[in-house]
Amino acid sequence: MKRTVLFLCEVLLALVLSSSAMAAAVVPFEGVIDLGGRRVDLSFTDKNGRALSLNLTRPAGRMYHLSMDIAHLRTPFCDISTVIQGDIDLTNTSWGDLNMTGEIASQYTLLNYKPVRDLYLKFAVKDRKFLVDTFWLGALSGKGEFGLSGEKRMNVFIELLSADLEGITAFIAPRVKLRSFAPTGVLTGAVDLSGPWGRPLVKGRLAAYDG
């Protein structure tokens, strides 16, 4: 369990520090790591009130239960607030033969202070690949696989389900210079990404209507 805890801590710190505005920030955290009691409680909070708390328990055998509460965590893409619950079945902890399955779901999800369809992720790690069986978040759904060794190749399908163009514009406006008019309507489409993580081949289609 110790290696799993350390890995999760690294992921959480990467999330908290992912904003460019916080690149040089110090993020205090506190909590309890009780390996004997099979329980981890950690809380990260910065000076602006952004917070992330994690609870990880091992109720029995190889099963882990994850609970995460995110309050206005600022990333390069958006401000996120959500409550995440999940269960992970870890059958092998050796990195060379890491094997796990899991399901994670969120509630009360806000992106840039607006409610969106909650996250659902069903995944597995097997044969040095991260396999996404089902993924939903907001207007996005998808599935695919990510290589975790060698060339680290990906093969991913993402579908955009009736997204509001006005909402998309508000989401990307702070990062992309847009024309003075605000587009309206509904956007749908699908994208395939394949190849190395750093330079995947992208194929897709997009359609807008009612605008």
Side-chain angles (χ1 to χ4, degrees), residues 24 31 34 55 63 78 84-85 87 104 158 168 179 183 202 208:
D34 182 2
N55 170 258
M63 292 297 300
C78 61
I84 296 174
Q85 301 279 340
D87 292 295
I104 294 173
I158 301 172
I168 293 176
R179 298 180 181 181
V202 181

Side-chain angles (χ1 to χ4, degrees), residues 16-52:
V16 174
L17 295 173
S18 60
S19 169
S20 58
M22 296 176 63
V26 175
V27 181
F29 69 94
E30 62 180 3
V32 176
I33 300 178
D34 182 2
L35 300 182
R38 299 180 173 184
R39 186 179 186 89
V40 175
D41 291 287
L42 294 175
S43 178
F44 303 82
T45 307
D46 76 351
K47 63 181 180 181
N48 296 314
R50 294 173 285 219
L52 185 154

Side-chain angles (χ1 to χ4, degrees), residues 5 18 21 28 34 36 47 50 57 59 75 82 85 88 119 126 128 145 167 177 185 188-190 195 198 202:
V5 170
S18 60
D34 182 2
K47 63 181 180 181
R50 294 173 285 219
T57 59
T75 76
T82 191
Q85 301 279 340
I88 300 170
L119 164 73
K126 186 178 181 180
R128 300 189 182 184
E145 63 180 46
K177 187 176 181 180
T188 64
V202 181

Side-chain angles (χ1 to χ4, degrees), residues 51-146:
L52 185 154
S53 62
L54 165 76
N55 170 258
L56 180 68
T57 59
R58 187 180 180 184
R62 63 194 190 189
M63 292 297 300
Y64 293 82
H65 179 74
L66 172 70
S67 178
M68 189 182 303
D69 191 342
I70 300 173
H72 299 296
L73 178 64
R74 189 71 179 174
T75 76
F77 307 102
C78 61
D79 179 286
I80 300 174
S81 293
T82 191
V83 177
I84 296 174
Q85 301 279 340
D87 292 295
I88 300 170
D89 185 353
L90 188 61
T91 57
N92 195 326
T93 59
S94 171
W95 176 246
D97 192 26
L98 185 64
N99 196 327
M100 72 171 73
T101 58
E103 290 187 65
I104 294 173
S106 71
Q107 291 181 295
Y108 320 117
T109 302
L110 300 177
L111 297 184
N112 288 339
Y113 299 89
K114 294 183 178 180
V116 299
R117 182 186 185 189
D118 282 307
L119 164 73
Y120 174 76
L121 173 65
K122 184 178 181 180
F123 68 92
V125 176
K126 186 178 181 180
D127 299 329
R128 300 189 182 184
K129 292 180 181 179
F130 183 78
L131 309 172
V132 178
D133 179 78
T134 308
F135 169 80
W136 304 327
L137 177 62
L140 296 176
S141 69
K143 59 182 179 180
E145 63 180 46
F146 300 83

